[in-house]
Amino acid sequence: MAKDSSFDIVSELDMQEMDNAVNQTKKEISQRYDFRGSDADIKLEEKALKIAAEDEYKLTAILDILRQRMAKRELSLRCLKPGKIEPAAKGSVRQTIDIEQGISKEKAKEIITLIKNSKLKVSAQIQDDQVRVTGSKKDDLQAVIHLLKQADLDVDLQFINMR
């Protein structure tokens, strides 16, 4: 009897690489001419980024620099969920950007529905913030991976633990 194969679908971000991207952004802000003498700052917290600047132009410039650094480090930009730009003290502005990790229950259900509609002989189940796909043929599992890569789910997916 053939043993079932499986893999996990996750949405994770390498926080060490994210920290490096934030540090590179800070370094560029300190060296750029248009940021000389300004109170522009970016901080990485547990699951969010805090950006503060003198005006919206500088705030968006910091966000652009961060996105460039993330792209160079092959970090997904889809994990960033920008919040509202809020006024702060002395006419400055700030923004909180949430870092989304894990697959939400709604997205997991959408993934499972997509897999079931494909009529492949695999089963999928939700496990916390990931989805496990199990099947007897590795070709079916690879077809599921290909299907999910083609689908526009607005979430960055990684496929791990292929057994």
Side-chain angles (χ1 to χ4, degrees):
M1 186 171 145
K3 186 178 178 220
D4 281 354
S5 299
S6 68
F7 70 90
D8 295 329
I9 304 168
V10 297
S11 179
E12 295 176 342
L13 183 70
D14 185 355
M15 290 307 284
Q16 182 60 51
E17 287 294 326
M18 186 66 180
D19 185 47
N20 293 341
V22 169
N23 288 336
Q24 283 184 333
T25 303
K26 285 181 182 179
K27 187 175 181 180
E28 184 167 334
I29 289 169
S30 69
Q31 294 174 348
R32 276 184 46 168
Y33 179 76
D34 55 341
F35 284 102
R36 291 263 158 86
S38 72
D39 292 333
D41 189 33
I42 181 170
K43 291 180 186 166
L44 177 63
E45 294 181 353
E46 186 86 17
K47 294 183 179 183
L49 288 164
K50 304 274 186 188
I51 301 176
E54 292 175 347
D55 53 39
E56 283 189 39
Y57 170 75
K58 288 183 180 173
L59 192 90
T60 55
I62 293 170
L63 192 54
D64 287 343
I65 295 168
L66 176 68
R67 286 182 174 140
Q68 290 171 2
R69 299 296 165 249
M70 286 177 67
K72 281 187 180 178
R73 294 186 163 276
E74 297 179 6
L75 294 171
S76 173
L77 301 178
R78 289 182 171 183
C79 69
L80 299 180
K81 302 298 178 203
K84 235 172 49 176
I85 296 175
E86 305 167 347
K90 298 180 184 175
S92 61
V93 291
R94 65 178 170 230
Q95 184 176 24
T96 302
I97 300 172
D98 294 326
I99 299 173
E100 231 174 57
Q101 292 197 59
I103 300 173
S104 67
K105 296 285 185 202
E106 295 80 28
K107 282 293 177 190
K109 288 178 183 176
E110 189 177 331
I111 290 170
I112 289 174
T113 305
L114 200 62
I115 292 170
K116 285 183 179 178
N117 291 342
S118 70
K119 305 289 189 222
L120 292 168
K121 293 183 179 175
V122 295
S123 65
Q125 58 194 29
I126 300 172
Q127 295 181 339
D128 291 330
D129 59 351
Q130 65 185 24
V131 177
R132 172 155 295 164
V133 180
T134 309
S136 58
K137 295 181 181 176
K138 287 197 176 189
D139 289 342
D140 288 344
L141 296 179
Q142 289 175 340
V144 169
I145 291 173
H146 182 71
L147 172 79
L148 293 175
K149 283 184 178 179
Q150 300 300 318
D152 185 29
L153 295 170
D154 198 33
V155 175
D156 187 45
L157 299 176
Q158 292 90 33
F159 307 99
I160 60 172
N161 297 335
M162 182 74 136
R163 294 180 206 150

